[in-house]
Amino acid sequence: MKGCSFGREGEKSLKETFSEISPSDFFYRNRDLAGFTNPARALYSTVRELVENSLDACELESILPEVYVRITAYDPLEEAEPKKYVIRVQDNGPGVEPERLPEAFGKVLYGSKYKLRQSRGMFGLGGTMAILYGQITSNKPVTIETSVDGVKRYYYKLMIDIEKNKPIIVEKKVGEGNGLRGTVVELVMEGDYFRSSTKIQEYFKQTALVVPYANITFIEPSGKIFYFLRTTTEMPPPPKETLPHPHGIDVEFMRRTIRQSSDESLAKFLSKRFHRVGLKTAIKFLQYAGIDPNRSPKSLSDEEIVNMVSAMHRYEEFLPPDAGCLSPLGENILAAGIVKELAPEFFTIVTRPPSAYSGYPFIVEVALAYGGKILENGIKLYRFANRIPLLYDEASDVSWKVIHEEIDWKRYRIPQDAPIAVIVNISSTRIPYKTVGKEYIADRPEIERELKNALRETLRKLSAYLSRRSSEEHEKKKINMYLKYLPLIANFSKELAKKSRPPNYKRLLSKGEEEERQKKIEEFTDS
Amino acid sequence: MKSSPTARKREVQEMLKVLGEKIYYQIENGVFPEIEMPSRSVKNIVYDEKLKQYVVGKNRVKRSSKNIKHLRPFTQTIWLAFFVDKLIREGKTSTLRDVYYSAQAFGIEFKDQAESDEIITDLEALLGRAREDYNVYPEERSAIYGDITIEYTTPGHEGKRLNLASHPDGYLIGPSLSTAELVETSAKMVFAVEKGGLFTRFVENKVHEKYNALIVDTAGQPPRSTRYFLRRLNQELGLPVYVLTDADPYGMHIYMVIASGSANAAHLTELTVPTAKWLGVTATDIETYRLPYVRLTDEDIKRAYELKNDPRYRDERFQRELDVFLRKQKKAELEAFAKYSLDYIVDKYLPDKLKEVKEL
């Protein structure tokens, strides 16, 4: 495993380990890191990884996803948890080319995802990790069916050679495609559904919130079926691949890129291989770094590579990364999901302009939903990173910190126990997770700032809505009060003044309404 | 003040009609009706050195039917005006509690009697007349006994006369008595006593004959109708009023309210008897007569300090007595004189004290 990079954090220790053991072996030994801590968590992570792979595959080709997930007990008579479960995930995605299939599913860190493009999974690791975990706990091969054209359908039974990080094909068959495209993954693993059912159901509910364009069916071991139906056919545009931004690369990556290149000059090399670097910028930068732009990239010594990379990180003239490669949810899709899953009385969505941290572009979307029949009192936080729901370690997440520590809710006159949902989606080519388990996002100042601004804007809107609502209620109440009391006053004054008929109070009623209208117009023009 | 109860009723009726017309024409002209009255907030209550009582200051408050917060009390006030106008016309009276219940029949709500009492006080401030003038009375407790002849003005009893020495339990100072004309009396003074027990002792010991006195039981802090009646005895018949209370700060204050009025009724100036005298029992009397005593409570002490700072207590005699209370920490009841004999208070204490206050 050469030239792998996990970003600068923790880079050193991982690299050292890799020189001695295979990635499969590494993840086998460190499965806690990837969210396979115990049978309950492992079952949840397996479902999640496989569903994410299916959704990613569909979205890449703009296919409206149909995802079917079933968990059944391997032995229906076995009762005690943890026990063996069969997990089956089926999609209508583009399928996997048969010649690529064994490597794609049977080798850790292989796959289309190891590129700079926004997707749910980061390293093509999760799915294979699930297969690996299944194999370790059940000693059963994984079954994969796939068809890219609907004409032919391939069946594979695979095992992973952990030490060598290589797939072993146990069985291979070809059959009729019957016009069905897509992929089915079925594996057996030790899990604990009793202890993970809440999280798994919550995972589907939250996923449905951000992919309202998908049909998702989930059948739990008891046979109970959960349907999450499509309510929009609008999909986010598929994310585009992008070159790495000079602020975001490390020495190892640079070394690898140089090795693979055949460019004769450094200036050309930089302008071809990096995002936001043209020939002019490359030359200016190399002058800044004190390196001859005409030198061959391969002539650089290790020390010179290190110096060049650190100069790149310092150099401020590079334009920030372009967010064109990102695929945020978009307000229409998020709105459809919120209406479908939360049915709130009021909601608002704010999409922040693209920003960047350490050379990685990101976009923050925040939605605030209020009231309705589904939301319970208190603030419920829904966290998404590249549309993946994050369900664990909420209090360690940057969004939680912003909501509970950085925002003064009193300023917006929103009661603490109001029925509120805050939905946060962060889209980036690299989400700064704090762990490989992908459960919470680090408090990068750039991200924190964008979150804060977005949340404040949604709160201002909610606050305005609430005060408008209460003033409308107030007006209604006022008119009702007039209707109730003015006739009484008129009548008593008639009696006191010894008149034969009550005074005409109707003019006052219409006057009251007219003044309210006037007041509203004035308030509007003022603001 | 000199006007008779009947004339006062007519004045009130005229005021109510003016109020009704004002509101009627405001509505007719498309204006949200509003009323104005003296503010009864603490800030607007000041001590009048000349009158020696609390009075309301110059601040006035406006109550507008346009303001949603005023609308309900506004309607309640107008209803009350309508209601008492009807009471006067029909020659009926109503207790505070009756008012609270009567509202319901007219579609007016009061959440409790405290709210209706508040509106009744508002109307007093608005008209500048005590509620008794518009036939609303509290539950009566206090009584009078002695040789005085009154003539009822109450409908159905007009012209009927009664001598108040005819029944030894005394006569309730209620609506009919309060509004009766005072015809004639042989009395030379009035004793107002704090307690029913002492009232009975005074009647039994013929204080009314021995001193040529009328005896009034204030039943604790006297209701306004009683204060009003004491004032009439004092002003119309020229009778001096002497007050007898327990020897504690609260007893002293019963006297002070009769003489100088209360802050609660600062908007009314015709309830006081400025020349009334406090006979006792004073703090000094506890020592002089070696009366059985109990210790002052924390509550009593707090009250004594409050009274020391009250402008009504500026007189040197009251300051001295309050100081004795605070120094000796003792209080005693009127009944304490029974230590010597049941007659002692009438035969010994009363003449002593009358002599003492006449020398003041």
Side-chain angles (χ1 to χ4, degrees):
Chain A
M1 184 59 216
K2 299 178 288 183
C4 168
S5 137
F6 286 89
R8 279 176 249 149
E9 284 172 15
E11 175 191 0
K12 216 168 149 200
S13 61
L14 283 173
K15 242 181 354 188
E16 280 167 4
T17 320
F18 281 1
S19 60
E20 290 161 17
I21 59 171
S22 87
S24 304
D25 210 5
F26 173 76
F27 279 107
Y28 169 52
R29 294 182 195 190
N30 295 284
R31 54 185 180 273
D32 288 2
L33 288 178
F36 290 80
T37 320
N38 56 53
R41 187 78 186 265
L43 188 56
Y44 161 75
S45 294
T46 299
V47 168
R48 197 182 92 166
E49 296 294 351
L50 296 177
V51 170
E52 279 162 18
N53 278 351
S54 289
L55 290 172
D56 270 342
C58 290
E59 282 164 15
L60 204 55
E61 303 275 322
S62 293
I63 299 165
L64 287 170
E66 305 274 349
V67 180
Y68 170 94
V69 183
R70 192 183 67 195
I71 304 177
T72 38
Y74 182 76
D75 175 1
L77 297 177
E78 196 180 358
E79 277 183 6
E81 305 266 14
K83 60 184 179 187
K84 286 199 193 88
Y85 284 100
V86 183
I87 292 107
R88 183 182 170 89
V89 177
Q90 183 176 339
D91 66 53
N92 62 337
V96 184
E97 294 290 346
E99 56 272 23
R100 267 189 60 235
L101 189 139
E103 295 264 292
F105 286 93
K107 182 173 178 175
V108 173
L109 295 172
Y110 178 92
S112 63
K113 287 180 183 174
Y114 192 59
K115 280 180 186 167
L116 221 48
R117 171 168 63 198
Q118 178 191 334
S119 63
R120 290 185 171 77
M122 284 305 289
F123 313 116
L125 160 69
T128 313
M129 188 65 214
I131 293 168
L132 190 63
Y133 185 86
Q135 177 178 323
I136 296 161
T137 56
S138 73
N139 201 28
K140 298 256 184 302
V142 59
T143 311
I144 296 151
E145 300 170 25
T146 186
S147 174
V148 291
D149 50 14
V151 179
K152 278 185 175 166
R153 194 168 182 84
Y154 293 86
Y155 298 81
Y156 278 88
K157 275 185 195 260
L158 295 178
M159 302 276 286
I160 299 170
D161 182 334
I162 295 173
E163 273 171 42
K164 292 192 183 130
N165 189 26
K166 268 173 69 179
I168 305 164
I169 300 170
V170 179
E171 199 186 324
K172 180 183 169 182
K173 275 195 306 190
V174 188
E176 284 298 312
N178 297 324
L180 288 174
R181 285 212 310 177
T183 308
V184 181
V185 177
E186 185 173 301
L187 55 85
V188 184
M189 63 173 287
E190 188 190 68
D192 184 340
Y193 189 72
F194 179 75
R195 287 188 180 76
S196 59
S197 60
T198 316
K199 281 277 193 243
I200 290 176
Q201 287 166 21
E202 182 69 17
Y203 166 74
F204 280 109
K205 252 184 251 171
Q206 295 204 13
T207 298
L209 182 69
V210 289
V211 289
Y213 46 85
N215 273 334
I216 301 174
T217 308
F218 167 54
I219 304 174
E220 64 168 16
S222 68
K224 194 172 165 192
I225 307 178
F226 297 83
Y227 290 112
F228 300 91
L229 296 179
R230 176 183 300 136
T231 56
T232 177
T233 53
E234 187 176 335
M235 282 180 80
K240 292 190 274 290
E241 252 181 73
T242 180
L243 293 170
H245 190 276
H247 283 162
I249 54 132
D250 56 37
V251 173
E252 190 58 42
F253 181 87
M254 182 60 86
R255 220 179 258 149
R256 185 178 63 173
T257 316
I258 288 174
R259 207 155 28 225
Q260 289 165 351
S261 79
S262 53
D263 304 305
E264 65 267 29
S265 77
L266 265 175
K268 250 196 188 146
F269 166 76
L270 290 179
S271 67
K272 262 168 68 183
R273 307 273 169 174
F274 293 93
H275 184 48
R276 292 295 205 191
V277 185
L279 210 50
K280 254 192 204 160
T281 314
I283 293 168
K284 260 172 89 181
F285 161 71
L286 287 164
Q287 281 164 351
Y288 163 84
I291 307 170
D292 178 1
N294 294 319
R295 274 183 68 180
S296 150
K298 290 202 161 111
S299 71
L300 291 178
S301 70
D302 272 4
E303 202 189 327
E304 281 172 319
I305 292 177
V306 171
N307 289 340
M308 183 171 77
V309 168
S310 59
M312 272 176 140
H313 292 163
R314 281 197 312 271
Y315 191 61
E316 286 175 5
E317 305 292 305
F318 297 121
L319 287 174
D322 175 18
C325 56
L326 295 183
S327 164
L329 278 166
E331 301 194 354
N332 291 347
I333 292 169
L334 193 48
I338 289 170
V339 169
K340 173 162 102 94
E341 293 298 317
L342 304 178
E345 175 190 322
F346 168 86
F347 70 94
T348 177
I349 299 169
V350 168
T351 307
R352 292 291 301 168
S355 185
Y357 77 93
S358 310
Y360 299 106
F362 70 92
I363 292 179
V364 165
E365 292 166 293
V366 171
L368 191 67
Y370 169 86
K373 285 191 180 134
I374 296 172
L375 290 180
E376 287 170 11
N377 281 353
I379 303 163
K380 163 108 171 130
L381 171 60
Y382 292 89
R383 296 174 293 141
F384 298 92
N386 289 344
R387 290 174 232 156
I388 310 173
L390 307 179
L391 301 186
Y392 286 91
D393 305 318
E394 180 183 82
S396 309
D397 193 277
V398 60
S399 313
W400 194 92
K401 181 180 161 198
V402 167
I403 289 173
H404 294 279
E405 290 169 12
E406 312 273 325
I407 295 282
D408 181 9
W409 288 74
K410 275 192 230 102
R411 260 195 61 190
Y412 301 94
R413 272 169 280 153
I414 297 169
Q416 289 286 310
D417 60 345
I420 283 179
V422 178
I423 298 134
V424 173
N425 182 43
I426 298 171
S427 307
S428 178
T429 48
R430 173 167 298 186
I431 301 284
Y433 293 113
K434 278 190 194 160
T435 63
V436 192
K438 297 193 291 191
E439 287 301 350
Y440 56 97
I441 297 175
D443 33 9
R444 298 267 179 174
E446 298 89 347
I447 293 183
E448 197 176 310
R449 184 194 65 223
E450 290 303 308
L451 276 173
K452 224 189 285 180
N453 287 337
L455 187 59
R456 281 188 179 140
E457 199 177 328
T458 61
L459 285 171
R460 277 195 295 275
K461 287 182 179 163
L462 175 60
S463 178
Y465 166 76
L466 289 177
S467 80
R468 197 166 59 238
R469 193 186 68 169
S470 87
S471 86
E472 272 164 17
E473 275 169 10
H474 181 75
E475 291 327 322
K476 238 198 225 154
K477 210 175 119 198
K478 197 163 177 176
I479 297 300
N480 284 341
M481 293 271 285
Y482 285 151
L483 275 171
K484 180 176 173 189
Y485 287 113
L486 287 177
L488 290 169
I489 296 172
N491 200 44
F492 296 138
S493 78
K494 174 206 115 180
E495 295 286 332
L496 278 171
K498 315 281 186 288
K499 300 283 182 186
S500 54
R501 60 161 187 87
N504 180 13
Y505 60 86
K506 298 236 163 62
R507 278 168 67 194
L508 292 183
L509 282 179
S510 53
K511 204 171 170 179
E513 285 173 27
E514 179 53 37
E515 272 173 23
E516 286 322 317
R517 266 198 293 279
Q518 212 51 45
K519 214 168 88 188
K520 240 180 241 173
I521 293 167
E522 275 163 32
E523 274 170 8
F524 182 75
T525 18
D526 284 351
S527 65
Chain B
M1 179 52 233
K2 294 289 182 295
S3 56
S4 73
T6 327
R8 293 172 67 83
K9 298 266 138 100
R10 276 200 299 275
E11 275 172 41
V12 169
Q13 276 182 297
E14 191 50 40
M15 289 165 126
L16 291 170
K17 185 162 184 245
V18 169
L19 174 70
E21 283 169 344
K22 188 180 154 204
I23 290 164
Y24 188 93
Y25 289 113
Q26 280 175 332
I27 298 176
E28 272 290 280
N29 294 327
V31 177
F32 278 94
E34 45 184 52
I35 50 181
E36 218 189 70
M37 62 185 98
S39 162
R40 291 189 290 113
S41 87
V42 181
K43 280 187 212 134
N44 197 39
I45 291 178
V46 291
Y47 188 69
D48 186 314
E49 294 287 354
K50 230 159 74 198
L51 288 172
K52 295 216 179 295
Q53 78 163 90
Y54 280 116
V55 293
V56 287
K58 291 200 175 69
N59 296 347
R60 296 177 72 78
V61 289
K62 208 178 259 178
R63 183 169 284 170
S64 168
S65 60
K66 188 174 168 187
N67 184 330
I68 222 73
K69 287 198 186 94
H70 293 177
L71 193 51
R72 179 181 154 102
F74 185 95
T75 312
Q76 288 167 338
T77 312
I78 303 311
W79 168 78
L80 183 68
F82 153 81
F83 180 72
V84 301
D85 184 49
K86 200 159 152 270
L87 281 181
I88 298 171
R89 245 185 301 129
E90 295 172 0
K92 287 183 184 157
T93 63
S94 165
T95 63
L96 295 169
R97 192 138 193 89
D98 285 337
V99 170
Y100 165 63
Y101 282 117
S102 303
Q104 291 175 8
F106 297 91
I108 300 293
E109 300 142 10
F110 287 111
K111 65 175 186 292
D112 49 29
Q113 199 193 319
E115 192 184 12
S116 68
D117 287 357
E118 190 65 20
I119 295 293
I120 289 164
T121 314
D122 281 346
L123 189 63
E124 287 186 321
L126 180 66
L127 301 177
R129 292 301 164 97
R131 61 184 177 229
E132 288 77 11
D133 282 343
Y134 53 75
N135 289 15
V136 175
Y137 292 85
E139 306 289 341
E140 300 304 331
R141 308 165 284 166
S142 59
I144 181 166
Y145 179 83
D147 176 31
I148 178 170
T149 303
I150 55 107
E151 186 179 308
Y152 291 109
T153 60
T154 315
H157 298 267
E158 298 100 326
K160 209 166 137 191
R161 292 189 176 194
L162 181 72
N163 185 281
L164 300 185
S166 320
H167 180 63
D169 287 346
Y171 290 87
L172 197 71
I173 305 178
S176 302
L177 199 52
S178 299
T179 57
E181 302 289 351
L182 309 176
V183 181
E184 58 176 6
T185 182
S186 65
K188 296 281 180 283
M189 62 180 79
V190 179
F191 288 124
V193 301
E194 183 186 339
K195 284 177 171 168
L198 196 69
F199 173 82
T200 309
R201 160 112 13 268
F202 274 30
V203 176
E204 284 172 359
N205 282 20
K206 301 198 187 308
V207 169
H208 51 287
E209 286 177 6
K210 287 180 187 160
Y211 293 90
N212 258 341
L214 300 175
I215 310 162
V216 171
D217 171 18
T218 68
Q221 196 59 262
R224 283 203 218 156
S225 55
T226 306
R227 283 153 59 193
Y228 174 57
F229 197 67
L230 284 171
R231 182 181 170 95
R232 289 188 64 202
L233 294 173
N234 176 255
Q235 304 256 324
E236 292 177 29
L237 303 177
L239 303 179
V241 173
Y242 298 101
V243 183
L244 214 56
T245 69
D246 283 341
D248 60 40
Y250 289 93
M252 260 179 112
H253 200 58
I254 288 173
Y255 157 74
M256 193 53 80
V257 167
I258 291 170
S260 300
S262 63
N264 282 339
H267 56 289
L268 300 170
T269 51
E270 296 185 354
L271 293 173
T272 59
V273 186
T275 58
K277 293 277 186 299
W278 184 41
L279 290 181
V281 180
T282 66
T284 314
D285 291 340
I286 301 175
E287 307 298 321
T288 315
Y289 294 90
R290 297 165 191 272
L291 295 178
Y293 62 86
V294 288
R295 292 258 152 227
L296 286 186
T297 64
D298 290 348
E299 200 56 24
D300 293 326
I301 293 164
K302 197 174 143 244
R303 191 72 183 135
Y305 279 113
E306 281 168 13
L307 296 183
K308 263 186 81 67
N309 292 319
D310 189 310
R312 290 171 289 185
Y313 285 81
R314 262 181 227 153
D315 188 278
E316 188 215 344
R317 181 181 172 222
F318 298 120
Q319 287 292 323
R320 200 176 57 228
E321 289 301 329
L322 285 168
D323 286 339
V324 176
F325 273 128
L326 288 168
R327 202 171 56 243
K328 301 276 182 186
Q329 303 268 315
K330 290 176 186 171
K331 61 176 181 178
E333 292 188 282
L334 284 161
E335 289 87 338
F337 288 102
K339 165 190 173 190
Y340 300 112
S341 80
L342 288 178
D343 302 331
Y344 186 90
I345 187 166
V346 174
D347 295 343
K348 178 80 175 77
Y349 181 73
L350 213 48
D352 283 3
K353 295 300 286 192
L354 277 171
K355 205 172 144 220
E356 186 185 314
V357 296
K358 273 177 190 159
E359 285 165 7
L360 283 176

